[in-house]
Structures are given as structure tokens and as C-alpha cells.
Amino acid sequence: MIKFCLNNAYTKQLLFAIFLVTGLVNCGSGMHANPLAATPSPQKQSGVQVSSPANNSTVGTTVKFAASATTTCATGVASMGIFTAPGVLAYKANGANLNTNLKLSPATYNTTVQAWDNCGGTAAAPVNITVSSAAAPAAGGSSSSGSSSTPGNSFGNLHQTGGWTPYVLLPPSYSICSSCSVNGPQTTMSMKQGVSSPSLSGNATQFSIGGKTQFSDGLWNNHLIGDFSSQGQADGGHTINPATHNFVYDVYFYSDNISASQALEFDINQFVDGKSYIWGHECRIAGGHQWDIWDNQGQKWHPTGIACNPNNKAWNHLTIQVQRTSDGHLLFQSITLNGNKSTLNYYESPTSTGWYGVTVNYQMDGNASQQPYSVWLDNLNFNYW
């Protein structure tokens, strides 16, 4: 296994030839090795060890990456990440271990698994792979339409579909502004599908907000089942919606200016038997780096105490799981961000409604100066059973 170090991810391609000859280069700080040493050093060595995928292998479109890192830095490894191309950080996780699945379009990739230690040093290992749609998926991976380990039915790649309706929300009430235009001036919002970069699948969607009204929001709503279904699931016989109790909202998101976001919101909504079930989840960023969930009866946000610190200029993987219980309550089950799962098991009571169906929301909140920013979504899958 080749192990080498980098001080700058953007120069790694220029150094590949040197690394392949020497095997190791001097990186300074904690992660380093001596390229002139003829015998192994008795000291602890620094480097990245990749157990999956194998170098020069052919893999399916869901690629399992598993790796670990060591360092001579006394305070250890800070984080690890995966570059799918020079300067394209597709995934990052804290600590000395990395284990995740990435969805990639068929192509040849010169990927790099990199580690950063707490002394300012880096180490990296190249993994060249060919992604083929004909290859078997990685163990524990997921298909393009949803996770194979998640039961039930699914709507795959929702970010690529139609049915996304934009709404402007203005303070202080944050009700839908019927007189507002997505072109402003209060709030501007836009959605661009078919974006190839940044993207994991080659087909991401860019959402953007801006405008002049501070703390104003942009909401996108999509009707999946029941009234006004965009997915051909009108459920006229009222057989699908009443029988559905479990939901998983799974998405990757990326921003090149995540600190400009007051909050990002991901909602699952069910309207059935005259009751409204709103599983609202809000990642407060400029608003305090914490997850809040929606208090249906109180019509306000409830802080969970769970930290929410998405990575900037990197893909973040979010999975939200909820349930409508057999006795008619909302159960907020878990939030998983970049492999860190937080169990909530928090119950709420529904409110009354005349609506029927299942919808999802994605929302971007403006900050104190309504600073414009964009977020890209990819591999947005929704499972229900």
C-alpha cells in the first residue's frame, strides 16, 4: 500500500509521480516520514490506510470508502476526507476513521483519501477507480432510488424532478407572502437543476436566496402523495397515505458559503384522517449551530441540544427518520449528519387539517444582512412504508 503526505490538496496531482517513486515525502508537522530512510523507523508512522475501495478497481455507482489514519502528532488526527477530483472535497468526517458510501456517475476517478492532524500536518493516499453502472453495488450501499437497507417504497432523486413550488416567507409571521415575487425585491430565490459541478451524481440542483429583507426565507415544497401529487400518486382511493407510518428523508447538500445561512430546513409532512403531522427539522447555522424540531401544537421551534455543524465546501450527508405512531402521535426518531447519528425519540401531537397527502419541504433562511448564498442538493431520496 502506497502512503504519502500532502500539504496542499490542490497540488496533489503534481506530486503523484514523486510519491509513486519515493513512496513517502516529508510533510512537516505531525504527519511526515523520511523518504531517504533505508530501514523502517521504530517510531509511530503517519499515513492513510484505505481498506475500500481497492486501488485500480471497478466499482458500482455506490462506492464504499473505508479508511483510517495515523499520525505522530501528539494530539492525534483531526479529520479525514475524500477528494473525487483535485480540489473537490466530496466528504469529510471528524476523527481518524472514515466509513461512508458515495454515489458517483460512471467514469474514471483519481480519488484521494486525506487526513488532517491537530498539528497542521496532512497525509493522503490515492485510490484510482472506474465507476460502472454494470458493476455490483458496494455492500451496505444504496441504489439510485433509495437505500437498499431502508424498507418500503421510495421516490428517488427528487431534486431532479418537477413539482417544486417556491414560496417567500417574510418576518415576523413567516407565513407565505402571496404578494411576493421570487425575483424580489424583498427576497430573491431560484432553483437550477442539472448542475454537473459541484455534484456527486453529475446532476445536482442549485438553490439560492438573497434579497433586501433581512431574516427572510425561501421555501420549496413538493407534493408527493395525495392532493396535487407531482409523482403520479394521487391516491384517489385513500389507500396509500393512511397505511403509511414511516418516513426517511435522505439527501446530500453542499455550500461554498455555509456560514451565510441562518438555517437550513428539511421537513416531512403528512396530512391524514383530518390531522396534520409536521416533522420539521432545522439546522441552525448562523443561528446557533444546533438542530431544532417543530412543536406542532405550540407552532414554534423546539431546541434539541444536538449540534449541527455542516462542512463548508464539502458534501454533507443528512438522513432524517420519523414515524406516525399507531396511537396517532408524531415521533421524531433520529438525525444523522455525516455519519454521526443522534437519537431523538421525541413525541409530539398533531393539529387539525383539511389537507390530504404527503409532502416534503426544503427551506433556506436568510441572515441578518440577507447575504445571498447557494446550496446544492444531490441524491435526494425519500422512503415511506
Side-chain angles (χ1 to χ4, degrees):
M1 178 182 299
I2 297 172
K3 296 188 288 186
F4 57 90
C5 305
L6 293 174
N7 281 324
N8 188 332
Y10 294 93
T11 63
K12 62 181 176 295
Q13 293 297 327
L14 299 177
L15 298 174
F16 276 179
I18 299 174
F19 295 150
L20 293 174
V21 173
T22 65
L24 297 166
V25 299
N26 195 359
C27 295
S29 195
M31 289 184 157
H32 67 278
N34 184 357
L36 303 180
T39 58
S41 169
Q43 299 178 344
K44 180 181 178 181
Q45 296 296 299
S46 301
V48 171
Q49 299 79 39
V50 180
S51 57
S52 177
N55 194 30
N56 297 318
S57 62
T58 299
V59 296
T61 53
T62 297
V63 187
K64 180 179 178 63
F65 280 84
S68 61
T70 56
T71 179
T72 57
C73 174
T75 51
V77 176
S79 59
M80 298 187 68
I82 303 166
F83 289 87
T84 53
V88 180
L89 182 60
Y91 180 81
K92 189 175 182 181
N94 293 329
N97 293 281
L98 179 153
N99 193 329
T100 191
N101 294 318
L102 292 184
K103 293 183 181 180
L104 300 175
S105 299
T108 298
Y109 294 84
N110 297 318
T111 72
T112 301
V113 179
Q114 183 163 326
W116 296 264
D117 68 22
N118 288 301
C119 297
T122 63
V127 184
N128 302 319
I129 56 174
T130 299
V131 176
S132 170
S133 58
S142 58
S143 67
S144 61
S145 61
S147 171
S148 60
S149 61
T150 304
N153 303 298
S154 66
F155 296 110
N157 292 317
L158 281 173
H159 64 288
Q160 300 175 8
T161 71
W164 291 98
T165 304
Y167 299 99
V168 171
L169 309 179
L170 298 180
S173 67
Y174 290 100
S175 57
I176 292 174
C177 177
S178 58
S179 63
C180 291
S181 166
V182 296
N183 297 317
Q186 299 98 328
T187 306
T188 59
M189 55 187 298
S190 64
M191 172 183 175
K192 180 182 179 182
Q193 294 178 309
V195 177
S196 60
S197 180
S199 176
L200 294 173
S201 67
N203 192 352
T205 297
Q206 179 182 3
F207 295 82
S208 304
I209 69 164
K212 296 183 178 180
T213 302
Q214 64 180 17
F215 294 122
S216 62
D217 307 336
L219 164 69
W220 288 265
N221 169 262
N222 201 326
H223 292 250
L224 304 181
I225 300 173
D227 297 343
F228 311 108
S229 171
S230 66
Q231 307 297 311
Q233 293 275 19
D235 193 22
H238 286 201
T239 57
I240 301 173
N241 190 26
T244 301
H245 286 264
N246 298 276
F247 305 94
V248 175
Y249 190 135
D250 190 275
V251 64
Y252 287 80
F253 65 95
Y254 176 102
S255 179
D256 57 4
N257 189 19
I258 196 71
S259 63
S261 173
Q262 185 71 13
L264 297 178
E265 185 176 332
F266 308 85
D267 305 331
I268 301 167
N269 315 303
Q270 185 177 32
F271 311 102
V272 63
D273 298 330
K275 298 295 182 182
S276 169
Y277 299 81
I278 308 297
W279 291 275
H281 299 75
E282 181 178 74
C283 171
R284 291 194 280 115
I285 302 172
H289 292 285
Q290 181 179 197
W291 281 104
D292 290 350
I293 56 177
W294 185 244
D295 179 346
N296 283 239
Q297 292 285 332
Q299 295 292 290
K300 61 184 179 181
W301 288 104
H302 172 79
T304 65
I306 298 170
C308 186
N309 294 290
N311 296 312
N312 189 49
K313 294 185 178 180
W315 285 99
N316 298 274
H317 185 198
L318 173 65
T319 304
I320 293 170
Q321 184 162 1
V322 302
Q323 182 183 88
R324 175 169 63 92
T325 65
S326 58
D327 62 353
H329 286 85
L330 300 97
L331 173 58
F332 292 80
Q333 292 175 298
S334 64
I335 301 171
T336 305
L337 180 61
N338 293 332
N340 298 310
K341 184 175 182 179
S342 299
T343 300
L344 296 168
N345 284 337
Y346 183 85
Y347 291 85
E348 277 280 346
S349 296
T351 57
S352 298
T353 187
W355 285 94
Y356 179 83
V358 175
T359 72
V360 293
N361 297 340
Y362 170 64
Q363 182 174 312
M364 295 167 60
D365 295 357
N367 63 15
S369 60
Q370 199 62 17
Q371 184 178 356
Y373 70 98
S374 294
V375 174
W376 288 259
L377 301 188
D378 208 344
N379 297 327
L380 171 51
N381 299 308
F382 185 77
N383 286 71
Y384 62 98
W385 67 98

